[in-house]
Amino acid sequence: MVKRATSRVASESRTTVPRWWPIHVGRWRRRWGKDAKGQSSWSRGRVLAALAVLTSGLMAFHAIVPNTVGNLGSLLEAFLPWLGLAVPVLLVLALLRRSATALVFLLLPAAVWANLFGGLLLSGDRGVRDITALQHNVSDENTAPARTAEALVQAAPELIALEELTPYALPLYETALAPDYPYHAVEGTVGLWSKYPLADVRLVDIKPKGIEEGWSRGLRADARTPWGEIAVYVAHLPSVRVRLSGFDSGWRDESAGLLGAAIAAEKLDKVILLGDFNSTVDDRGLAPVTSQMNPQARDFAFSWPAVFPVSRIDHIMTRSATVTDIRTLPATGSDHLPIAVGIKLAS
């Protein structure tokens, strides 16, 4: 009788437990409990936890990574948002390793990335624009300059800056843009088209010492707008290269220093700077330029390469004006995507 009563009580107690309980909890205990070596889920995955901390440090303190060896700091900053990809990779490894420690430490790089770049996922207009400006490296290998110009006109900007203009393509751009943009200026391989009259057009010398004569990639003009005169700069900084020796950005950095000095000496209060800078605004090599301008509107508006954009190296910056929004436009015949921004000029 005692055995039957005990059996009945045990049976009744088992029926009160949900059916999924012994299955899923049992599996969870086997998977996340001690492994064959006797390690618990809290003692496993210490290497993954260390990698999570390292990723967090690189994102949060990228400015202290030195450039003394191969310009590694600039290389890191050129692709800084992509460090966030380490989070899902480490997450998968932590789950495979069944490491509670690694999962907890992964919260750190996730939080750092969200703090630095999470707001870009929610970005939008920050006010009413007065004008729209457009920047595009049209590529010296573009086989359809007329169609490219037509595509840019459809965005209806007041200012258009173009780089990599060739002797063959320049007349085609001039012809296609003239009906909507009666004013334009060209220096070397860069040009500016405007709906507003342009004055005091001149070359901006941003040629590094090691580059041969005839290299001309900078201009400045006064745009006479309803909001007063605005100094408009167009610049195309030298390319960078990733070599076995590291990140080769010497000419680009030297050119950025010359451009920054020109903007610092600018007498007009309002400035709009458009160009292909061959790096992101996080790159310390652009500090001579970015330090002269207002904080740029940030967005995942990647412009290069056009087939699969991973970085925005084309920029439109302002001084004593506000960029309200930034976006990329559909691909043209270039290896860059055009970018367009709204600008508020009124105080």
PDB file of all heavy atoms in Angstrom, residues 29-45:
ATOM      1  N   ARG A  29      20.268  22.057 -19.794  1.00  0.00           N
ATOM      2  CA  ARG A  29      21.262  21.707 -18.780  1.00  0.00           C
ATOM      3  C   ARG A  29      22.418  20.934 -19.387  1.00  0.00           C
ATOM      4  O   ARG A  29      23.572  21.142 -19.035  1.00  0.00           O
ATOM      5  CB  ARG A  29      20.600  20.896 -17.661  1.00  0.00           C
ATOM      6  CG  ARG A  29      19.725  21.736 -16.748  1.00  0.00           C
ATOM      7  CD  ARG A  29      19.038  20.853 -15.721  1.00  0.00           C
ATOM      8  NE  ARG A  29      18.245  21.654 -14.801  1.00  0.00           N
ATOM      9  CZ  ARG A  29      17.438  21.124 -13.883  1.00  0.00           C
ATOM     10  NH1 ARG A  29      17.305  19.808 -13.803  1.00  0.00           N
ATOM     11  NH2 ARG A  29      16.754  21.914 -13.074  1.00  0.00           N
ATOM     12  N   ARG A  30      22.094  20.029 -20.326  1.00  0.00           N
ATOM     13  CA  ARG A  30      23.171  19.263 -20.941  1.00  0.00           C
ATOM     14  C   ARG A  30      24.062  20.144 -21.806  1.00  0.00           C
ATOM     15  O   ARG A  30      25.271  19.968 -21.836  1.00  0.00           O
ATOM     16  CB  ARG A  30      22.568  18.130 -21.779  1.00  0.00           C
ATOM     17  CG  ARG A  30      21.996  16.984 -20.954  1.00  0.00           C
ATOM     18  CD  ARG A  30      21.765  15.762 -21.829  1.00  0.00           C
ATOM     19  NE  ARG A  30      20.805  16.014 -22.900  1.00  0.00           N
ATOM     20  CZ  ARG A  30      19.490  15.857 -22.763  1.00  0.00           C
ATOM     21  NH1 ARG A  30      18.976  15.476 -21.602  1.00  0.00           N
ATOM     22  NH2 ARG A  30      18.671  16.084 -23.783  1.00  0.00           N
ATOM     23  N   ARG A  31      23.436  21.075 -22.515  1.00  0.00           N
ATOM     24  CA  ARG A  31      24.217  21.913 -23.418  1.00  0.00           C
ATOM     25  C   ARG A  31      24.990  23.004 -22.693  1.00  0.00           C
ATOM     26  O   ARG A  31      26.098  23.343 -23.075  1.00  0.00           O
ATOM     27  CB  ARG A  31      23.290  22.547 -24.464  1.00  0.00           C
ATOM     28  CG  ARG A  31      22.697  21.523 -25.435  1.00  0.00           C
ATOM     29  CD  ARG A  31      21.735  22.187 -26.394  1.00  0.00           C
ATOM     30  NE  ARG A  31      21.163  21.221 -27.329  1.00  0.00           N
ATOM     31  CZ  ARG A  31      20.237  21.518 -28.216  1.00  0.00           C
ATOM     32  NH1 ARG A  31      19.760  22.756 -28.291  1.00  0.00           N
ATOM     33  NH2 ARG A  31      19.763  20.588 -29.036  1.00  0.00           N
ATOM     34  N   TRP A  32      24.369  23.618 -21.702  1.00  0.00           N
ATOM     35  CA  TRP A  32      24.978  24.753 -21.032  1.00  0.00           C
ATOM     36  C   TRP A  32      25.552  24.389 -19.665  1.00  0.00           C
ATOM     37  O   TRP A  32      26.085  25.262 -18.983  1.00  0.00           O
ATOM     38  CB  TRP A  32      23.967  25.888 -20.894  1.00  0.00           C
ATOM     39  CG  TRP A  32      23.619  26.454 -22.219  1.00  0.00           C
ATOM     40  CD1 TRP A  32      22.662  26.021 -23.076  1.00  0.00           C
ATOM     41  CD2 TRP A  32      24.273  27.540 -22.865  1.00  0.00           C
ATOM     42  NE1 TRP A  32      22.668  26.765 -24.220  1.00  0.00           N
ATOM     43  CE2 TRP A  32      23.637  27.715 -24.124  1.00  0.00           C
ATOM     44  CE3 TRP A  32      25.325  28.391 -22.509  1.00  0.00           C
ATOM     45  CZ2 TRP A  32      24.034  28.704 -25.007  1.00  0.00           C
ATOM     46  CZ3 TRP A  32      25.712  29.373 -23.399  1.00  0.00           C
ATOM     47  CH2 TRP A  32      25.071  29.519 -24.630  1.00  0.00           C
ATOM     48  N   GLY A  33      25.459  23.154 -19.300  1.00  0.00           N
ATOM     49  CA  GLY A  33      26.084  22.728 -18.052  1.00  0.00           C
ATOM     50  C   GLY A  33      27.554  22.452 -18.262  1.00  0.00           C
ATOM     51  O   GLY A  33      28.181  22.959 -19.185  1.00  0.00           O
ATOM     52  N   LYS A  34      28.134  21.626 -17.460  1.00  0.00           N
ATOM     53  CA  LYS A  34      29.554  21.323 -17.565  1.00  0.00           C
ATOM     54  C   LYS A  34      29.819  20.450 -18.779  1.00  0.00           C
ATOM     55  O   LYS A  34      29.029  19.581 -19.133  1.00  0.00           O
ATOM     56  CB  LYS A  34      30.035  20.617 -16.297  1.00  0.00           C
ATOM     57  CG  LYS A  34      30.027  21.514 -15.062  1.00  0.00           C
ATOM     58  CD  LYS A  34      30.593  20.798 -13.859  1.00  0.00           C
ATOM     59  CE  LYS A  34      30.626  21.721 -12.644  1.00  0.00           C
ATOM     60  NZ  LYS A  34      31.187  21.038 -11.449  1.00  0.00           N
ATOM     61  N   ASP A  35      30.965  20.717 -19.434  1.00  0.00           N
ATOM     62  CA  ASP A  35      31.329  19.901 -20.581  1.00  0.00           C
ATOM     63  C   ASP A  35      32.157  18.712 -20.136  1.00  0.00           C
ATOM     64  O   ASP A  35      32.279  18.432 -18.934  1.00  0.00           O
ATOM     65  CB  ASP A  35      32.083  20.740 -21.618  1.00  0.00           C
ATOM     66  CG  ASP A  35      33.358  21.357 -21.052  1.00  0.00           C
ATOM     67  OD1 ASP A  35      33.804  20.913 -19.967  1.00  0.00           O
ATOM     68  OD2 ASP A  35      33.911  22.269 -21.689  1.00  0.00           O
ATOM     69  N   ALA A  36      32.727  18.005 -21.125  1.00  0.00           N
ATOM     70  CA  ALA A  36      33.482  16.799 -20.798  1.00  0.00           C
ATOM     71  C   ALA A  36      34.696  17.093 -19.931  1.00  0.00           C
ATOM     72  O   ALA A  36      35.174  16.219 -19.202  1.00  0.00           O
ATOM     73  CB  ALA A  36      33.915  16.108 -22.101  1.00  0.00           C
ATOM     74  N   LYS A  37      35.210  18.300 -19.991  1.00  0.00           N
ATOM     75  CA  LYS A  37      36.365  18.678 -19.177  1.00  0.00           C
ATOM     76  C   LYS A  37      35.967  19.245 -17.819  1.00  0.00           C
ATOM     77  O   LYS A  37      36.811  19.682 -17.052  1.00  0.00           O
ATOM     78  CB  LYS A  37      37.200  19.716 -19.928  1.00  0.00           C
ATOM     79  CG  LYS A  37      37.793  19.175 -21.232  1.00  0.00           C
ATOM     80  CD  LYS A  37      38.622  20.246 -21.910  1.00  0.00           C
ATOM     81  CE  LYS A  37      39.217  19.741 -23.216  1.00  0.00           C
ATOM     82  NZ  LYS A  37      40.034  20.777 -23.903  1.00  0.00           N
ATOM     83  N   GLY A  38      34.669  19.288 -17.582  1.00  0.00           N
ATOM     84  CA  GLY A  38      34.196  19.787 -16.295  1.00  0.00           C
ATOM     85  C   GLY A  38      34.076  21.290 -16.227  1.00  0.00           C
ATOM     86  O   GLY A  38      33.874  21.853 -15.148  1.00  0.00           O
ATOM     87  N   GLN A  39      34.151  21.971 -17.384  1.00  0.00           N
ATOM     88  CA  GLN A  39      34.034  23.430 -17.401  1.00  0.00           C
ATOM     89  C   GLN A  39      32.572  23.836 -17.521  1.00  0.00           C
ATOM     90  O   GLN A  39      31.825  23.283 -18.331  1.00  0.00           O
ATOM     91  CB  GLN A  39      34.817  24.017 -18.571  1.00  0.00           C
ATOM     92  CG  GLN A  39      36.318  23.870 -18.456  1.00  0.00           C
ATOM     93  CD  GLN A  39      37.022  24.496 -19.646  1.00  0.00           C
ATOM     94  OE1 GLN A  39      36.613  24.324 -20.790  1.00  0.00           O
ATOM     95  NE2 GLN A  39      38.095  25.228 -19.383  1.00  0.00           N
ATOM     96  N   SER A  40      32.170  24.832 -16.737  1.00  0.00           N
ATOM     97  CA  SER A  40      30.803  25.341 -16.814  1.00  0.00           C
ATOM     98  C   SER A  40      30.706  26.387 -17.915  1.00  0.00           C
ATOM     99  O   SER A  40      31.714  26.835 -18.474  1.00  0.00           O
ATOM    100  CB  SER A  40      30.394  25.963 -15.477  1.00  0.00           C
ATOM    101  OG  SER A  40      31.098  27.179 -15.264  1.00  0.00           O
ATOM    102  N   SER A  41      29.480  26.802 -18.243  1.00  0.00           N
ATOM    103  CA  SER A  41      29.286  27.806 -19.293  1.00  0.00           C
ATOM    104  C   SER A  41      29.901  29.148 -18.926  1.00  0.00           C
ATOM    105  O   SER A  41      30.157  29.978 -19.784  1.00  0.00           O
ATOM    106  CB  SER A  41      27.788  27.988 -19.570  1.00  0.00           C
ATOM    107  OG  SER A  41      27.120  28.455 -18.412  1.00  0.00           O
ATOM    108  N   TRP A  42      30.157  29.370 -17.638  1.00  0.00           N
ATOM    109  CA  TRP A  42      30.759  30.626 -17.194  1.00  0.00           C
ATOM    110  C   TRP A  42      32.281  30.599 -17.269  1.00  0.00           C
ATOM    111  O   TRP A  42      32.914  31.652 -17.262  1.00  0.00           O
ATOM    112  CB  TRP A  42      30.313  30.971 -15.776  1.00  0.00           C
ATOM    113  CG  TRP A  42      28.862  31.288 -15.696  1.00  0.00           C
ATOM    114  CD1 TRP A  42      27.865  30.487 -15.269  1.00  0.00           C
ATOM    115  CD2 TRP A  42      28.244  32.519 -16.112  1.00  0.00           C
ATOM    116  NE1 TRP A  42      26.646  31.117 -15.378  1.00  0.00           N
ATOM    117  CE2 TRP A  42      26.852  32.371 -15.879  1.00  0.00           C
ATOM    118  CE3 TRP A  42      28.719  33.710 -16.635  1.00  0.00           C
ATOM    119  CZ2 TRP A  42      25.938  33.381 -16.178  1.00  0.00           C
ATOM    120  CZ3 TRP A  42      27.814  34.723 -16.928  1.00  0.00           C
ATOM    121  CH2 TRP A  42      26.431  34.546 -16.698  1.00  0.00           C
ATOM    122  N   SER A  43      32.855  29.422 -17.322  1.00  0.00           N
ATOM    123  CA  SER A  43      34.306  29.334 -17.412  1.00  0.00           C
ATOM    124  C   SER A  43      34.788  29.113 -18.834  1.00  0.00           C
ATOM    125  O   SER A  43      35.982  29.196 -19.114  1.00  0.00           O
ATOM    126  CB  SER A  43      34.825  28.194 -16.512  1.00  0.00           C
ATOM    127  OG  SER A  43      34.245  26.950 -16.879  1.00  0.00           O
ATOM    128  N   ARG A  44      33.859  28.856 -19.765  1.00  0.00           N
ATOM    129  CA  ARG A  44      34.228  28.684 -21.162  1.00  0.00           C
ATOM    130  C   ARG A  44      34.143  30.018 -21.906  1.00  0.00           C
ATOM    131  O   ARG A  44      33.430  30.929 -21.498  1.00  0.00           O
ATOM    132  CB  ARG A  44      33.281  27.675 -21.849  1.00  0.00           C
ATOM    133  CG  ARG A  44      33.389  26.267 -21.333  1.00  0.00           C
ATOM    134  CD  ARG A  44      32.637  25.298 -22.260  1.00  0.00           C
ATOM    135  NE  ARG A  44      31.208  25.551 -22.334  1.00  0.00           N
ATOM    136  CZ  ARG A  44      30.299  24.928 -21.600  1.00  0.00           C
ATOM    137  NH1 ARG A  44      30.675  24.027 -20.696  1.00  0.00           N
ATOM    138  NH2 ARG A  44      29.016  25.198 -21.750  1.00  0.00           N
ATOM    139  N   GLY A  45      34.857  30.110 -23.041  1.00  0.00           N
ATOM    140  CA  GLY A  45      34.740  31.262 -23.931  1.00  0.00           C
ATOM    141  C   GLY A  45      35.456  32.514 -23.466  1.00  0.00           C
ATOM    142  O   GLY A  45      35.068  33.624 -23.844  1.00  0.00           O
TER     143      GLY A  45
END
